[in-house]
Amino acid sequence: MELNFTTFTNIIDGKPTTTAETRYSINPSTKAPNPPVPVSTKQDLDDAVNAARRALKGWAATPWDERRDALLSFVKAVVGRKEEFAGMLVREQGKPYMFALLEVAGVERQIQGLATLKLEDEVVADEGGRKVVKRYVPLGVGGAIVPWNFPVMLMMLKISHAVLTGNTVVCKPSPFTPYTGLKLVELAQQFFPPGVVNVLSGDDNLGPWMTAHPGIDKISFTGSSVTGRKVMESCSRTLKRVTLELGGKDPAIILPDVDVPLVAAQIAFYSFFNSGQICMATKRIYVHSSIAKEFVSALVAAAKNFKVGDGMGEGVFMGPVNNGMQYEKVMGFMDDVKKTGGEVVLGGDPARFRYKAEEKGGQSGYFIDPTIVFNPSEESRIMKEEPFGPIVPVVKWDDEEDVIRRANDTDMGLGASVWGKDVERAESIARRLEAGSVWLNEHIFGVATAPFGGWKGSGVGVENGREGLVGWCNVQSLYIKGEVKSVL
Ligand code: NAD
C-alpha cells in the first residue's frame, strides 16, 4: 500500500475516512502549518467503536501466536519506513532527527520484548475431581489516548498491548502531534483485519467523548496527572477499566563517591533529552554537599554544550518545546524562580527567550535554552511541580535519611535514580524510594518485559511486562468438574 506523508485521514474499519471540518498543528521549530487533519465528530467515534466491536469476535478468537506474528510484521514495516516517520515526527514534535529516528527504530526492541510474553491458561488447583483454570480473556474495545512527547513509541505500545491480548482498539493521538499516529494506523491496515486498529484525530472534545463512550471497555491513557484525574472520573461512570500513565517528578540522588564529570554529563543528558519533555526525565537533582560545587560546575559544562535549534539542524541536541502552551508553562517556572530564589547557573532568562520567540514576527520556534537552578527553595514550583521542559533544580543533601524523605516528599512516584560507586549503599537507598521504576547509575532505560507505571499521582496500573498485558484482560477462574456430586 502506498503511504504518503502529505495527506492524513482517520482510519475506521480499515478504510480512510475524511471529515467535513479539518484542523492542523504547527512545526514547533518554525511555527509553519503542517497538513490538515480530520476533526472527528461523535458520529465518527460511534463508527470507529462499532467497527472495533464488529472486529472483536474474530480477533479475540485468533490464536495468540498469529496475533503476535501480525504485530511483529507491522512493527517491521514501521521500522522499514523509519526515515519517513522520523521526518514527520520532527515536523510535528520538534525533536532532533537523530532522536526521532531512535524513537521509531526503538519501537522494534520494545515490542519484540513485549512479544516474548504470553498469557496462557494456568491450572491453579487440581484436586477432588475438580480442576481450576485461570484464564485471561480480552476486555473488548479499547481506547488509546496518547500525548505529544513520544507520539510514535507510546501509540505503538498501546496498539501492541491491545492486539496481542485479543482486544480491538480506537486510537487518539494528541491534537499537537496527530500525524505519525494517523500514518501508523494507516500502515497497520496491511497487517490486521478491518476494525482491529482504528484511529481518529480530533480537537479537545474527542478525548472526553471517548472516556464517556459506553461502547469502549477500557481506556489506556498517557498524559498529565491533571487530565488523568478527569479521565478516571469520566471512566468511572461506565466502570471502564483504566490504565493511567501520568506525570513524574523523578529525583536523582548523587552519592559523594561518584566520578563527578562522568555522572554530571549523564544527569545533564537525562534532564535535557527531548528538551526535558519526558515523563521520567530527571526532574530534581539531590547532590551530596561535599561535591555540590564541583558537580554543579560539571553539570553546567555538559549542558551548555547542548545545541538548541530546529530538529533538522546539524548537531542539534535539543529541539523546541512542543507548543505555545508548554512554552508559557516553562516560562512560568522561570518567573517563579525569580520570585522564590535560587541561583540560575545556566540559561533561565525569560525575557531573552520571549524576545527570541517574537523576533522575526513570531516565526521563530519555541526554543528554550537548558536552564539549571541551584539551591531553589524547597517550596518553589520547580521543586514541587513538573515543568515538562528544559529547566531542572539542583539541591544539596548531607544526611541519608533526610534525602530519602525529601525525595519521597511528593505526590508523584514515576521514577527515581541513585548514583554511586558503593552499589550496596545505592541499592539500600533505591529500595526505599517511592516510585514505579528505580535505577542505579542510570535513568530512563526501559525493557518491555518489566512493568512500567507510576505510584501515587503518577498513575494507575502499568504498561509493559506481564502485568501490562493482564491490564487488557478480564481474568476468569474456570472451575471444571467432570461429574455432579451430591453436596449433602
Ligand atoms: P495531556 O494530559 O494534556 O494530554 C494527553 C492526551 O489526553 C492528549 O491526547 C489529549 O488530547 C487528551 N486529553 C486532554 N484532555 C482530555 C480529557 N479531558 N479526556 C480525555 N483525553 C483528554 O498531556 P500532554 O501535555 O499531551 O503530555 C504531557 C504529560 O504526559 C506530562 O505530564 C508527562 O509527564 C505525561 N507523560 C507520561 C508518561 C508516562 O508513561 N507516565 C509518558 C509520556 C508523557
Side-chain angles (χ1 to χ4, degrees):
M1 190 170 88
E2 259 310 301
L3 202 70
N4 72 64
F5 282 79
T6 48
T7 52
F8 296 83
T9 64
N10 287 336
I11 302 288
I12 300 174
D13 208 11
K15 291 186 279 296
T17 64
T18 51
T19 54
E21 202 188 323
T22 58
R23 57 179 296 283
Y24 61 87
S25 79
I26 55 154
N27 178 336
S29 287
T30 60
K31 298 190 182 151
N34 282 319
V37 288
V39 177
S40 300
T41 61
K42 267 189 168 169
Q43 184 61 52
D44 295 316
L45 177 59
D46 285 345
D47 292 347
V49 171
N50 289 337
R53 181 67 56 193
R54 284 193 301 276
L56 181 62
K57 203 170 161 200
W59 188 245
T62 303
W64 184 288
D65 290 358
E66 258 178 61
R67 297 196 302 247
R68 181 203 56 212
D69 291 348
L71 173 65
L72 290 175
S73 304
F74 168 44
V75 170
K76 213 164 158 217
V78 170
V79 175
R81 307 188 78 131
K82 61 176 183 288
E83 289 84 4
E84 290 159 282
F85 275 105
M88 190 67 245
L89 186 51
V90 175
R91 293 195 293 282
E92 68 176 349
Q93 207 285 330
K95 64 184 65 191
Y97 182 70
M98 64 172 168
F99 295 132
L101 263 184
L102 218 67
E103 179 175 341
V104 180
V107 159
E108 193 164 28
R109 182 177 69 85
Q110 288 296 319
I111 293 174
Q112 280 176 350
L114 194 70
T116 61
L117 303 171
K118 190 170 178 180
L119 301 180
E120 289 178 294
D121 285 5
E122 195 186 324
V123 177
V124 291
D126 190 357
E127 57 192 12
R130 179 192 295 113
K131 197 158 83 171
V132 186
V133 181
K134 185 167 66 173
R135 300 180 61 219
Y136 296 97
V137 182
L139 281 173
V141 175
I145 302 181
V146 179
W148 47 257
N149 63 335
F150 283 87
V152 171
M153 176 63 85
L154 295 172
M155 186 173 284
M156 287 299 288
L157 281 173
K158 289 191 190 307
I159 292 173
S160 303
H161 282 70
V163 298
L164 259 182
T165 48
N167 294 274
T168 57
V169 65
V170 178
C171 304
K172 187 196 94 61
S174 165
F176 291 112
T177 55
Y179 299 95
T180 47
L182 291 172
K183 280 296 153 192
L184 287 172
V185 176
E186 192 179 321
L187 184 56
Q189 304 315 308
Q190 297 179 22
F191 305 94
F192 302 103
V196 171
V197 187
N198 309 272
V199 66
L200 299 175
S201 129
D203 58 18
D204 291 344
N205 290 315
L206 182 57
W209 288 341
M210 287 174 71
T211 58
H213 201 290
I216 294 182
D217 302 294
K218 176 198 170 89
I219 291 287
S220 174
F221 171 85
T222 301
S224 65
S225 296
V226 171
T227 312
R229 286 180 164 83
K230 292 185 196 160
V231 167
M232 191 157 180
E233 191 183 337
S234 172
C235 287
S236 72
R237 284 178 219 132
T238 44
L239 282 186
K240 280 184 186 48
R241 290 359 183 205
V242 288
T243 303
L244 304 177
E245 298 282 358
L246 309 178
K249 192 64 189 158
D250 291 14
I253 299 176
I254 319 293
L255 302 184
D257 66 352
V258 295
D259 176 332
V260 170
L262 182 68
V263 172
Q266 294 266 311
I267 295 286
F269 180 88
Y270 292 122
S271 298
F272 296 115
F273 177 52
N274 213 43
S275 301
Q277 303 165 118
I278 307 189
C279 52
M280 48 185 166
T282 310
K283 294 186 184 128
R284 290 174 292 156
I285 304 168
Y286 292 91
V287 58
H288 193 267
S289 63
S290 64
I291 55 163
K293 225 172 140 211
E294 193 192 340
F295 189 87
V296 169
S297 304
L299 191 67
V300 168
K304 78 173 178 217
N305 289 328
F306 293 153
K307 188 170 167 191
V308 181
D310 187 319
M312 284 298 182
E314 189 66 31
V316 168
F317 176 79
M318 281 169 53
V321 294
N322 175 255
N323 57 72
M325 207 169 72
Q326 197 56 33
Y327 182 87
E328 288 305 328
K329 188 173 168 195
V330 178
M331 287 304 149
F333 279 81
M334 305 240 181
D335 292 340
D336 186 68
V337 167
K338 277 201 162 170
K339 274 190 242 136
T340 56
E343 189 188 345
V344 179
V345 288
L346 184 69
D349 181 350
R352 193 164 70 83
F353 297 128
R354 287 223 166 90
Y355 171 73
K356 244 178 151 179
E358 280 158 17
E359 71 189 3
K360 297 188 207 154
Q363 283 305 294
S364 70
Y366 297 117
F367 298 109
I368 303 179
D369 291 336
T371 296
I372 300 171
V373 187
F374 185 43
N375 264 337
S377 149
E378 290 277 344
E379 296 310 313
S380 61
R381 286 186 63 201
I382 193 60
M383 287 302 289
K384 291 286 180 203
E385 299 172 32
E386 180 188 46
F388 218 57
I391 173 168
V392 69
V394 186
V395 290
K396 296 187 280 189
W397 67 275
D398 286 299
D399 176 65
E400 207 171 284
E401 285 303 314
D402 182 54
V403 75
I404 293 170
R405 181 192 58 75
R406 285 157 69 199
N408 288 336
D409 184 19
T410 163
D411 59 4
M412 303 262 191
L414 191 61
S417 58
V418 187
W419 301 73
K421 286 186 184 146
D422 182 347
V423 176
E424 220 170 282
R425 181 181 183 193
E427 187 178 336
S428 81
I429 295 173
R431 284 178 178 275
R432 295 177 62 195
L433 296 177
E434 297 166 0
S437 300
V438 185
W439 294 270
L440 300 191
N441 294 315
E442 63 176 350
H443 207 108
I444 291 182
F445 181 79
V447 294
T449 44
F452 175 78
W455 292 13
K456 304 190 270 190
S458 288
V460 172
V462 296
E463 277 187 343
N464 289 346
R466 192 183 151 77
E467 293 81 355
L469 296 177
V470 170
W472 277 86
C473 297
N474 278 313
V475 184
Q476 183 178 71
S477 299
L478 177 64
Y479 288 75
I480 304 172
K481 208 168 156 192
E483 56 179 323
V484 180
K485 284 190 186 155
S486 166
V487 287
L488 298 174

